[in-house]
Amino acid sequence: MTEAPAAPDVAAVILAAGQGTRFRSDTAKVLHRAAGRTLLRHVLEAVRPLGVGQVVVVVGHQAEQVTAEVDAAGLDATTVVQHDQRGTGHAVQQAMPALTDGIRRVLVLPGDTPLLTPEVLAGLFAATETDPAAMLTMQLTDPTGYGRVIRGDDGGVDRVVEHGDATPEERAVSEANAGMYLASRALLTAALGRLDDDNAQGELYLTDVVAILRGDGHRVVPVDAPERAVAGVNDRAQLADAAAELRRRHLDHLMREVGVTVVDPATTYLDVDVEVARDATLLPGTILEQGTRIGEGAVVGPNTHLTACTVGVGATVHSTRGTEAAIGDAATVGPFAHLRAGTRLGHASKVGAYVETKNVTVGERSKLPHLAYVGDATVGREVNLACGVITVNYDGRDKHHTTIEDGAFVGCDTMLVAPVTIGEHAYTAAGSTITEDVPPDALAIARARQTVKEGWARRRREGG
Ligand code: UD1
Ligand code: CA
């Protein structure tokens, strides 16, 4: 990514006070997520590499939650509260007093444009080297709802007219306002003081600043931007479209720049913060979330959903659900495994079909091949947990730990009633319920001895 030069004289003002009525949601629009990040966070991440001197976010609807999201980005941003949402111009008015002394230019951005990239904003920076104000515009086949950009004879912008205030001729203009501006602080401050709400929505329109600057003889430079970088998200259908575009970009980057095989991008769902290393393969139906990291040459999928997991070099994870699990190099998992929080699988270990793990460390080359529940346990190296092993870790009140030492062999259908330890190289017989520690190298048998009643079935059949 090419970073624009650092811009210490610029303040980024992000407008995030609106409710987003068309989302029909109890959650503020900017807090809805696309590809793992909130809409607002996407905008903040586009601003981060610009190196601006100050970031101010205007909050209002769900101010507390939106402020927490701003803080989480760690950009050292200021928030100002706009108590009544009286329009975009009113929102920027609230931000101006928070600007610090060194700020000479103000970058205004909406909080609902998750596809924004720093490269697109660089165009605004270049334009304001010669002129006091610039704005991003886009050519749309259907500009309904957007402000229309009315240009003057010199190619500069004369004014922006909102859809609701536009004449039929103005509505026919296909150049739309993207809602992103960079302007001289002094001129913007003066123009904001002259806004009125004499318009269709009864609001203070930020867009009226353009006509005010123009009227004073300043030039406002239009900078053409691709719609797919500046499109706003106004409802949940647009949210899904934006998320798809973000995933497409991320997968493209992984395939072209990193060298990851993605068999079917259309059914591969990655959050933007997921990392996948060279020569890994993602099979169809793979969902990777919350900073999951996949190592070199690993094969993940099909039908695998990992949240905040790491997958080691050369590991295989097939048809698996994992949360906060670390899968070691060359380990194999699945099909149909459930790795819950705190699972740590060692090098070349194996977790097979219908196995659930939780808060467990499994050592190198140990195997849990089928049908087991292993929770709150430490499993050593080269341990074999045969089919049907269960750690009985919960007594209805407290959780207890199970320790299985190196080289132990836990037989089929063994209940390990915790707290309990199986010593190094020890065996448990199939079907045992182990309630006491088993010393190293021992065999524990804990089941009723079999009795055989000769002829019992025949006698029953013959009514005896
Ligand atoms: C605005 C522009 C329009 C442009 C469009 C691009 C104006 C008057 N119109 O319209 O020309 O084509 O963006 O998407 O600016 N907000 C506040 N406080 C408010 C009002 C809005 O913080 O009082 C925030 C919203 O949360 C949102 C952003 O400002 O993040 C834009 O507001 P929105 O209502 O979506 O503006 P549009 O009507 O889309
Ligand atoms: Ca909008």
Side-chain angles (χ1 to χ4, degrees):
M1 187 177 287
T2 50
E3 292 186 6
D9 69 311
V10 173
V13 172
I14 299 169
L15 309 185
Q19 177 184 4
T21 323
R22 282 168 284 174
F23 262 65
R24 304 181 191 285
S25 176
D26 294 337
T27 303
K29 174 167 77 172
V30 295
L31 295 180
H32 281 261
R33 288 173 186 274
R37 274 185 187 150
T38 61
L39 299 182
L40 178 57
R41 183 63 180 262
H42 282 291
V43 175
L44 292 167
E45 292 304 328
V47 167
R48 189 189 298 275
L50 298 174
V52 296
Q54 195 185 3
V55 178
V56 181
V57 183
V58 181
V59 302
H61 197 77
Q62 291 198 319
E64 209 172 299
Q65 292 92 325
V66 177
T67 300
E69 179 64 6
V70 171
D71 292 344
L75 267 169
D76 200 18
T78 316
T79 51
V80 297
V81 182
Q82 181 193 24
H83 291 284
D84 304 311
Q85 282 84 62
R86 293 175 49 213
T88 49
H90 181 248
V92 178
Q93 284 176 353
Q94 312 310 303
M96 299 307 278
L99 300 187
T100 55
D101 285 350
I103 299 303
R104 296 280 167 270
R105 292 180 288 170
V106 181
L107 173 68
V108 180
L109 302 172
D112 63 353
T113 51
L115 303 178
L116 186 61
T117 63
E119 290 82 356
V120 168
L121 295 174
L124 286 177
F125 283 79
T128 51
E129 274 162 23
T130 46
D131 290 287
M135 59 186 282
L136 292 183
T137 75
M138 52 188 170
Q139 292 293 339
L140 298 180
T141 40
D142 178 16
T144 305
Y146 284 95
R148 305 301 203 282
V149 175
I150 310 299
R151 296 226 197 178
D153 296 337
D154 63 348
V157 184
D158 266 358
R159 61 200 168 88
V160 174
V161 56
E162 291 306 295
H163 185 88
D165 301 287
T167 63
E169 296 76 46
E170 289 166 338
R171 283 188 187 180
V173 171
S174 60
E175 186 175 20
N177 171 24
M180 304 181 187
Y181 323 80
L182 182 59
S184 134
R185 176 185 183 173
L187 292 182
L188 179 63
T189 306
L192 285 170
R194 289 156 62 188
L195 293 180
D196 66 50
D197 60 3
D198 182 15
N199 52 51
Q201 297 183 60
E203 291 184 348
L204 298 178
Y205 289 166
L206 178 61
T207 43
D208 286 349
V209 164
V210 175
I212 293 170
L213 294 181
R214 188 73 195 129
D216 288 348
H218 303 291
R219 188 175 143 85
V220 178
V221 183
V223 177
D224 191 43
E227 181 191 355
R228 55 203 287 269
V230 293
V233 169
N234 293 315
D235 60 32
R236 297 197 208 214
Q238 291 175 344
L239 180 71
D241 284 348
E245 168 68 12
L246 288 162
R247 286 195 300 267
R248 225 172 0 250
R249 280 184 196 168
H250 191 36
L251 289 171
D252 253 30
H253 162 75
L254 292 173
M255 291 188 284
R256 296 214 158 93
E257 257 86 46
V258 179
V260 174
T261 296
V262 181
V263 172
D264 182 19
T267 59
T268 306
Y269 301 82
L270 266 58
D271 282 357
V272 292
D273 62 354
V274 166
E275 293 170 27
V276 187
R278 185 186 174 95
D279 282 328
T281 298
L282 304 181
L283 296 170
T286 293
I287 304 172
L288 304 178
E289 299 174 319
Q290 291 182 25
T292 289
R293 281 182 287 129
I294 309 296
E296 268 190 40
V299 178
V300 178
N303 306 323
T304 291
H305 183 178
L306 302 180
T307 305
C309 289
T310 59
V311 174
V313 174
T316 303
V317 187
H318 186 310
S319 303
T320 289
R321 172 70 176 126
T323 307
E324 293 169 43
I327 297 165
D329 296 349
T332 63
V333 178
F336 315 117
H338 185 190
L339 309 181
R340 293 166 55 202
T343 296
R344 317 215 101 58
L345 305 182
H347 183 271
S349 61
K350 177 180 170 67
V351 170
Y354 307 107
V355 173
E356 177 173 326
T357 61
K358 183 212 72 173
N359 187 28
V360 56
T361 303
V362 175
E364 273 182 43
R365 290 189 298 285
S366 288
K367 294 191 169 80
L368 295 67
H370 12 241
L371 293 161
Y373 170 64
V374 183
D376 300 312
T378 308
V379 177
R381 302 154 57 113
E382 298 188 42
V383 167
N384 196 325
L385 300 188
C387 184
V389 169
I390 293 174
T391 52
V392 183
N393 61 328
Y394 186 49
D395 60 14
R397 200 181 56 196
D398 297 312
K399 301 282 173 66
H400 301 284
H401 198 82
T402 299
T403 303
I404 304 167
E405 295 180 345
D406 295 350
F409 184 101
V410 181
C412 284
D413 204 20
T414 297
M415 301 290 124
L416 298 164
V417 181
V420 73
T421 296
I422 309 296
E424 231 177 292
H425 298 293
Y427 278 62
T428 69
S432 290
T433 296
I434 302 293
T435 54
E436 282 163 42
D437 291 353
V438 179
D441 289 320
L443 164 66
I445 309 171
R447 65 188 186 212
R449 194 168 273 285
Q450 181 169 322
T451 46
V452 175
K453 299 188 176 180
E454 291 286 355
W456 181 91
R458 188 178 357 97
R459 286 195 298 281
R460 185 174 196 253
R461 199 166 57 240
E462 292 169 356

